[in-house]
């Protein structure tokens, strides 16, 4: 039996496991090959045969800036498909997509912005891919150290970096957390506001703020983990469920589906905690 026919037969047998949220696709052998090669190294030759010099363009939330390059390198190694990311706040990227940004896949730091695109008819196949966590981070030499809940109201903390809560989901989580802890009004005068979570982290890293409320993904990456420490903010904010959508105008829908299938596969999901993300399906989640 020809290799691509084997791929098609395998896909048909396991399609509901590959696409548990109900992808509707009349996948060609090329698309099936990319999916299989992403999930199983043994199928890498199929992907090579299926498509050469292919690329999937991804608009990704800023909290993924320290994560996606590692995942992209692994994906390209397995499939030969290049991942071309562009980063920004979820709100900014959403507006860019509305304005016609040529991209294939949107990895948001929340679910609201992907839902907006689906409702506008600009995207399909909304799929959660991870959950994020908010932390308070500071350099080791910051006067704000050691970090705890009391850091927020300490006189040693003169400036606190936070992301714009209208544009960045982690900024919204920071606002929600501070309000839930009864600290918002006391801390607001200390705010140094970044457009996205990456810029916010830079403020704290460079000393323009003594500490910052940032994503665990950034706090777990270099140079942040080398020069500072973090305190995990209690989960008093709304769950940061991060979701993806396939862009309707994508010229490479098959490659986008293949990457998203790989990202949400169990082997890759198990890797996410080392990058500061929780899997999309957690052990304590209801079935």
């Amino acid at each position: 039996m020809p290799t691509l026919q084997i791929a098609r037969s395998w896909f048909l047998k396991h399609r509901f496991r590959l696409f548990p949220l109900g992808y509707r696709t009349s996948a060609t052998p090329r698309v099936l090959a990319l999916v299989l090669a992403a999930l199983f190294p043994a199928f890498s030759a199929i992907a090579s045969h299926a498509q050469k010099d292919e690329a999937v363009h991804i608009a990704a939330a800023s909290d993924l800036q320290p994560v996606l390059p590692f995942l992209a390198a692994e994906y390209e190694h397995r499939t030969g498909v290049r991942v071309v990311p562009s980063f920004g706040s979820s709100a900014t990227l959403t507006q860019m997509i509305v304005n016609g940004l040529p991209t294939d896949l949107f990895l948001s730091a929340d679910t609201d912005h992907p839902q907006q695109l689906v409702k506008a008819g600009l995207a399909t196949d909304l799929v959660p891919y991870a959950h994020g966590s908010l932390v308070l981070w500071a350099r080791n030499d910051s006067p704000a150290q050691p970090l705890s809940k009391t850091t927020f109201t300490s006189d040693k903390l003169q400036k606190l970096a936070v992301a714009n809560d209208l544009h960045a989901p982690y900024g919204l989580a920071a606002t929600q957390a501070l309000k839930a802890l009864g600290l918002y009004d006391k801390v607001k005068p200390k705010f140094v506001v970044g457009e996205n979570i990456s810029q916010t982290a830079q403020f704290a890293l460079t000393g323009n703020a003594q500490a910052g409320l940032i994503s665990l993904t950034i706090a777990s990456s270099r140079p942040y983990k080398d020069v500072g420490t973090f305190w995990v903010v209690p989960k008093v904010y709304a769950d940061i469920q991060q979701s993806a959508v396939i862009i309707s105008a994508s010229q490479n829908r098959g490659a986008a589906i293949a990457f998203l299938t790989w990202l949400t596969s169990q082997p890759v999901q198990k890797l996410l905690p080392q990058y500061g993300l929780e899997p999309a399906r957690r052990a304590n989640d209801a079935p």
Side-chain angles (χ1 to χ4, degrees), residues 245-269:
V245 284
I246 308 294
I247 303 306
S248 298
S250 168
Q251 298 299 304
N252 206 354
R253 182 178 177 82
I257 290 175
F259 180 85
L260 186 54
T261 299
W262 177 79
L263 178 62
T264 55
S265 68
Q266 188 174 12
V268 179
Q269 289 284 297

Side-chain angles (χ1 to χ4, degrees), residues 10-271:
W10 190 97
F11 179 85
L12 292 175
K13 181 178 179 180
H14 297 279
R15 64 190 183 279
F16 295 112
R17 292 175 59 192
L18 285 173
F19 301 106
L21 296 182
Y23 280 116
R24 298 292 185 265
T25 178
S26 55
T28 65
R30 180 183 64 80
V31 173
L32 303 186
L34 289 173
V35 172
L36 294 173
L39 295 175
F40 307 105
F43 281 94
S44 59
I46 305 176
S48 177
H49 173 79
Q51 183 72 26
K52 294 187 181 296
D53 299 324
E54 189 169 13
V56 57
H57 293 259
I58 301 177
S62 293
D63 74 299
L64 298 178
Q65 204 155 352
V67 180
L68 191 54
F70 292 101
L71 296 178
E74 177 64 18
Y75 186 75
E76 182 172 353
H77 174 72
R78 287 177 175 268
T79 67
V81 176
R82 291 183 299 113
V83 175
V84 183
S86 56
F87 297 99
S89 71
S90 296
T92 298
L93 291 173
T94 297
Q95 189 58 52
M96 291 173 68
I97 291 169
V98 169
N99 292 338
L101 176 70
T103 193
D104 303 307
L105 180 65
F106 176 35
L107 299 179
S108 181
D110 66 358
T111 298
D112 289 344
H113 287 96
Q115 284 178 335
Q116 291 173 20
L117 293 175
V118 171
K119 289 180 180 178
L122 298 175
T124 62
D125 301 303
L126 189 151
V127 180
Y129 66 88
H131 294 269
S133 297
L134 183 71
V135 302
L136 177 66
W137 184 91
R139 293 177 56 96
N140 292 326
D141 57 4
S142 169
Q145 293 282 11
L147 302 178
S148 69
K149 179 182 175 181
T150 60
T151 300
F152 293 109
T153 53
S154 170
D155 291 338
K156 295 180 179 180
L157 180 67
Q158 297 296 311
K159 295 182 179 180
L160 175 67
V162 297
N164 187 324
D165 59 8
L166 296 178
H167 292 177
Y170 283 91
L172 178 59
T175 296
Q176 292 173 343
L178 290 172
K179 287 183 176 180
L181 295 171
L183 299 171
Y184 184 81
D185 291 336
K186 297 177 182 177
V187 178
K188 186 177 180 181
K190 303 180 181 184
F191 283 1
V192 178
V193 181
E195 175 62 23
N196 54 58
I197 202 63
S198 180
Q199 184 184 63
T200 302
Q202 280 289 320
F203 287 156
L205 179 65
T206 57
N208 289 307
Q210 284 83 40
L213 283 167
I214 66 175
S215 68
L216 181 56
T217 56
I218 294 178
S220 301
S221 69
R222 289 179 174 169
Y224 294 88
K225 67 179 182 180
D226 296 329
V227 301
T229 62
F230 62 84
W231 175 72
V232 178
V233 177
K235 290 292 183 74
V236 292
Y237 50 89
D239 181 36
I240 305 176
Q241 177 179 264
Q242 305 195 189
S243 294
V245 284
I246 308 294
I247 303 306
S248 298
S250 168
Q251 298 299 304
N252 206 354
R253 182 178 177 82
I257 290 175
F259 180 85
L260 186 54
T261 299
W262 177 79
L263 178 62
T264 55
S265 68
Q266 188 174 12
V268 179
Q269 289 284 297
K270 287 182 177 180
L271 297 176

